[in-house]
Amino acid sequence: MSLSRLGRLDLVLDRAESLPSEVVVSAVVAPPRDCHPLADFIERRPAYLPALGQYFAPGNGFCDIAAHEVGTAVTGLNSPHLIIRRHAVAALGRRRLGKDVGRRVLPLLCRTIRQDPDAVVRRLAILSLLAWRIDSRHLQPDIRSNASMWPARSR
């Protein structure tokens, strides 16, 4: 992670085959938040998808973004990579980002619950909208009408 934050992710990737997958993944996700290097990593090294899935599993790798990082998460909503979309939609469910961010991201989260092909992304978008509480109150009809698309939970 330290090498990656110092701009030397290349040193980690050059030795990736000799390192545990968790080490490689933690280095790949460590740089300043930008989904383009992560997307490139997924495309070039798809064997790491299970380790990335573990890293980004709910409760593990979801980050707490700042307002200046919202653009990256918004870009991630349109990623062809499921893991990036799931991470982005969860990261945008932070009411403390402020009303200005809310005005920007709430319609995008609403669009996500209507259009994303993945049920988990849609569920996370609904949860993110609900986390905005009063700011998302005007979207409650959309939230309710799309909540029925959630897959049944196994008990």
Side-chain angles (χ1 to χ4, degrees), residues 112-126:
T112 300
I113 65 173
R114 289 190 307 265
Q115 296 179 358
D116 198 277
D118 182 69
V120 174
V121 171
R122 294 191 308 267
R123 179 186 298 236
L124 291 170
I126 288 171

Side-chain angles (χ1 to χ4, degrees), residues 80-113:
H81 303 288
L82 179 60
I83 197 164
I84 293 174
R85 292 196 323 274
R86 286 181 178 178
H87 186 66
V89 77
L92 291 171
R94 305 290 186 266
R95 187 170 182 241
R96 66 161 191 74
L97 291 170
K99 287 188 181 274
D100 289 339
V101 169
R103 281 190 283 279
R104 178 179 177 196
V105 302
L106 293 176
L108 299 174
L109 289 170
C110 199
R111 183 195 70 196
T112 300
I113 65 173

